[in-house]
Amino acid sequence: MKKKITITIIFLILLISYLYLGNKLNVYINCPIKEITGLYCPGCGITRMLQAILQLNFYQAFRYNPLLFISLPFFIFFTIEGIITKKDPLYNKIPNKILITIIIIFIIYGMLRNLPLFDFLAPTIVR
C-alpha cells in the first residue's frame, strides 16, 4: 500500500510541476495525433483542462475537454479507492461490456469533435 501511495504522490508532483512549468515557460508537449492529422483526439485539451482546474476555472476546464472533465471524478475515485483498500480495486471489477462501451464512447467522441456540427466539443477558449 505504501508503494501505491508513493507512486501516486510522485505522479501528482510530476504532473503539477509539468503544468506549472509549462505555463511559466509556455512549453508543452503537443498532441501527436493533432500534429500529424490535424484532427482532435479524445484527449486533446487535457493539459489545458488540468491547468484550468488548478486555477479553479471549472467552466473553462469543461470547455477544453467536456468528456474527460465529466469522467475525471470517476478516475479520481477509482484511483483513491485503489490506494486505500487492500482488496482488488473497483476498476478491476468493471465488467468487460462496460469497459468496451466506455472505449466506444471515447472513440465516437473523438470523431464527433472533428465534425462542424459538433465543433462545440473541440477545445475552446472562453473569453
Side-chain angles (χ1 to χ4, degrees):
M1 183 160 137
K2 267 188 160 182
K3 186 177 181 181
K4 286 181 183 179
I5 293 172
T6 304
I7 290 171
T8 303
I9 290 172
I10 290 170
F11 173 76
L12 287 173
I13 290 170
L14 290 173
L15 177 65
I16 291 170
S17 299
Y18 170 71
L19 293 171
Y20 178 76
L21 291 174
N23 187 34
K24 292 291 180 194
L25 303 174
N26 200 20
V27 178
Y28 290 109
I29 299 170
N30 291 332
C31 174
I33 293 172
K34 175 75 171 149
E35 290 292 315
I36 294 169
T37 66
L39 300 173
Y40 295 113
C41 74
C44 279
I46 192 169
T47 301
R48 291 172 285 171
M49 179 194 76
L50 292 172
Q51 190 177 39
I53 289 172
L54 288 176
Q55 296 169 356
L56 303 179
N57 190 347
F58 298 109
Y59 181 68
Q60 179 62 71
F62 176 81
R63 294 300 301 143
Y64 281 134
N65 196 316
L67 183 61
L68 285 175
F69 182 81
I70 292 168
S71 304
L72 192 60
F74 298 103
F75 292 131
I76 292 171
F77 171 76
F78 284 130
T79 300
I80 291 172
E81 186 274 338
I83 290 170
I84 292 174
T85 184
K86 292 184 180 180
K87 299 179 199 171
D88 236 9
L90 286 176
Y91 56 78
N92 285 343
K93 297 177 185 173
I94 298 174
N96 284 341
K97 288 181 183 179
I98 293 177
L99 289 176
I100 291 169
T101 302
I102 291 169
I103 291 168
I104 290 170
I105 288 170
F106 273 86
I107 291 170
I108 291 171
Y109 171 72
M111 292 187 312
L112 288 178
R113 70 190 317 208
N114 290 290
L115 298 176
L117 183 62
F118 297 96
D119 63 350
F120 60 90
L121 295 174
T124 307
I125 297 174
V126 179
R127 303 245 181 232

